[in-house]
Amino acid sequence: MGLLSNKVERNEIKPGDHIYTYRAVFTYSHHGIFVGGSKVVHFRPERNLDSSIESSSELYDPISPQSACPVFPDCGFRQLNSGVVISCLDCFLRNGSLYCFEYGVTPSVFLAKVRGGTCTTAVSDPPGMVIHRAMYLLQNGFGNYDIFQNNCEDFALYCKTGLLIMEKLGVGGSGQASSVIGAPLAALLSSPLKLLMPSPVGVATVTAGMYCMSRYATDIGVRSDVIKVAVEDLAVNLGWAASHDEAAQESEASNRQLVTL
């Protein structure tokens, strides 16, 4: 992988790698965990899994239902009401190129990667742990999909590191989401400097610098609002367990009422 591109060949990826591919002429990227056997576990919006309409307004993975995969019968498997899916590599890529997300990069390399969603300063856990998390979440879900706080890149980042962002009001760990927010913010913050820097080159340089720093500040490798959470405890930390318990209690109450009637 080079400084400007993380593009790789299929024979270069290994089980436990965080891979991604670009959609809609490089408008956005979709991320997943390669678990071996030409299979990828990834996270998509639930509402798009059963929709026959492909929407170009979605940032992270607008899809129409895939036709039956001719190679893998279980391609597209997911649990009910879950956006975590296992697909074959061909269906995941959808004729796009293959890229590998980088972990443990230095701050200078991170800042040099102008586009977000390609690397992090955080260090990856061993491949076996990464695959365990991905397969566990395939069976148990990863909560509700959210473009800015809980998307496909956040899913892959958690599988690789086990790091969970506790601050729910800000942006998640996704470098792609922080780029979307960081670019307009950098332009806004640098706009007063136009009065002091009449040169367009000077203003562009300052804006680019602020954009890169805003990306770096949201990277999970440097944030202070992250904790290491075992995948088995993820539901408790995110409050999913409580909602499941409430649903179970409501169901039990309904059953009692039917029996009484």
Side-chain angles (χ1 to χ4, degrees):
M1 291 183 289
L3 182 61
L4 298 179
S5 174
N6 294 354
K7 188 175 180 179
V8 294
E9 299 299 328
R10 295 191 182 205
N11 61 0
E12 296 181 84
I13 59 174
K14 303 177 294 298
D17 278 352
H18 171 173
I19 62 174
Y20 62 98
T21 187
Y22 287 104
R23 304 272 201 252
V25 196
F26 296 91
T27 304
Y28 62 93
S29 57
H30 184 55
H31 298 245
I33 298 296
F34 180 66
V35 294
S38 294
K39 299 290 184 64
V40 184
V41 177
H42 50 120
F43 185 46
R44 306 188 305 205
E46 283 182 54
R47 63 182 178 277
N48 287 332
L49 292 170
D50 301 314
S51 172
S52 60
I53 300 175
E54 182 168 348
S55 166
S56 60
S57 63
E58 289 287 352
L59 176 61
Y60 277 89
D61 192 32
I63 61 168
S64 55
Q66 297 172 344
S67 57
C69 178
V71 181
F72 296 102
D74 61 342
C75 184
F77 170 82
R78 67 182 178 95
Q79 295 291 357
L80 185 65
N81 299 322
S82 172
V84 182
V85 183
I86 187 166
S87 303
C88 72
L89 186 57
D90 285 335
C91 291
F92 174 82
L93 293 175
R94 283 197 275 158
N95 296 320
S97 297
L98 174 63
Y99 298 81
C100 193
F101 199 96
E102 292 183 272
Y103 284 79
V105 303
T106 62
S108 59
V109 170
F110 182 91
L111 294 173
K113 299 271 190 178
V114 178
R115 183 158 188 166
T118 62
C119 64
T120 177
T121 59
V123 177
S124 171
D125 286 328
M129 178 60 70
V130 175
I131 295 171
H132 168 69
R133 290 185 185 122
M135 298 306 293
Y136 184 92
L137 294 174
L138 176 64
Q139 296 298 325
N140 296 275
F142 193 61
N144 296 324
Y145 185 99
D146 184 272
I147 287 179
F148 295 110
Q149 293 187 337
N150 199 46
N151 56 55
C152 61
E153 188 182 340
D154 291 309
F155 169 81
L157 286 167
Y158 172 75
C159 289
K160 288 288 286 185
T161 66
L163 296 176
L164 184 66
I165 295 175
M166 301 308 295
E167 177 56 60
K168 303 303 180 186
L169 299 179
V171 69
S174 166
Q176 192 171 189
S178 65
S179 294
V180 171
I181 296 174
L185 180 61
L188 179 64
L189 293 176
S190 64
S191 59
L193 297 176
K194 293 178 182 178
L195 300 176
L196 303 176
M197 304 175 68
S199 168
V201 175
V203 174
T205 301
V206 172
T207 301
M210 290 185 172
Y211 162 73
C212 290
M213 291 309 298
S214 69
R215 280 182 48 236
Y216 182 72
T218 58
D219 179 54
I220 60 170
V222 299
R223 292 176 66 148
S224 60
D225 59 343
V226 296
I227 60 171
K228 194 93 167 182
V229 178
V231 69
E232 293 81 5
D233 299 329
L234 196 60
V236 175
N237 279 271
L238 293 179
W240 305 340
S243 61
H244 289 167
D245 290 343
E246 290 176 3
Q249 290 173 3
E250 290 178 3
S251 177
E252 186 177 350
S254 299
N255 290 337
R256 284 203 215 96
Q257 187 175 10
L258 289 174
V259 171
T260 302
L261 294 175

